[in-house]
Amino acid sequence: MTESSTPLSGVDLARVALHNAREAAKQQGVSPRRRRTATRTTRRTGGREPVSFGEAIQQLIADRAWKAPVAAGGVLDRWSHIADDLAGRVTAVKYDADTATLTLQPDSSAAATAVRHRQHALLDRIAEETGGRETVRRLEILGPGRRKAA
């Protein structure tokens, strides 16, 4: 590596230290060991064995090294599939990736009460469908008739 006129700090300093350590290991004849990353293997017969939608999405995210907010983009679109028994009475109106919050708009106070009572089960179902709990960590349940600006 070449020396520059500015002192190194942070990531650059770590990069230089790693480079020097690798060079020292090469000189000593030590070959680097590659870490095996944990991968989930599934046995499929001819690649046609059915998998759940959540597993398929999770595998797609892992294969493409996407981040969780990308996976959450479909939460609003798939709301009727995620909460099929509530979909006619409760609408998913907004998803905030910064706070991992899904905003729901019930059409009546009874629907709002039902959502509040099933909040943890809904979060579990969303996590199953999107491939992780970091996608949606909180539900914001609006009162009936109160539409929050998007």
Side-chain angles (χ1 to χ4, degrees):
M1 292 204 135
T2 61
E3 293 293 320
S4 65
S5 60
T6 60
L8 298 176
S9 65
V11 174
D12 294 326
L13 190 59
R15 191 175 292 128
V16 169
L18 178 62
H19 175 74
N20 291 340
R22 284 182 177 161
E23 288 299 318
K26 280 182 188 177
Q27 289 175 359
Q28 293 176 1
V30 178
S31 64
R33 288 186 184 171
R34 297 280 180 198
R35 268 194 207 168
R36 294 187 75 179
T37 58
T39 57
R40 185 168 30 145
T41 58
T42 55
R43 177 181 285 157
R44 295 185 183 167
T45 55
R48 308 284 276 171
E49 185 175 320
V51 295
S52 74
F53 185 71
E55 288 179 36
I57 292 297
Q58 188 174 8
Q59 187 62 42
L60 181 67
I61 292 167
D63 289 347
R64 304 218 175 152
W66 287 345
K67 301 269 187 225
V70 174
V75 172
L76 295 174
D77 295 332
R78 293 193 321 258
W79 175 249
S80 61
H81 174 71
I82 292 170
D84 52 357
D85 59 327
L86 293 173
R89 301 179 303 155
V90 179
T91 306
V93 293
K94 180 182 171 188
Y95 173 73
D96 184 3
D98 295 331
T99 61
T101 301
L102 178 64
T103 303
L104 303 176
Q105 174 71 57
D107 65 355
S108 67
S109 58
T113 302
V115 171
R116 284 186 185 97
H117 284 282
R118 294 185 47 204
Q119 191 166 355
H120 295 292
L122 283 172
L123 287 170
D124 290 343
R125 177 77 172 134
I126 291 168
E128 178 184 314
E129 287 293 319
T130 59
R133 293 214 179 267
E134 64 278 348
T135 304
V136 176
R137 292 189 301 257
R138 182 176 169 272
L139 296 177
E140 180 181 4
I141 304 161
L142 302 175
R146 286 185 21 217
R147 178 70 69 171
K148 187 173 185 175

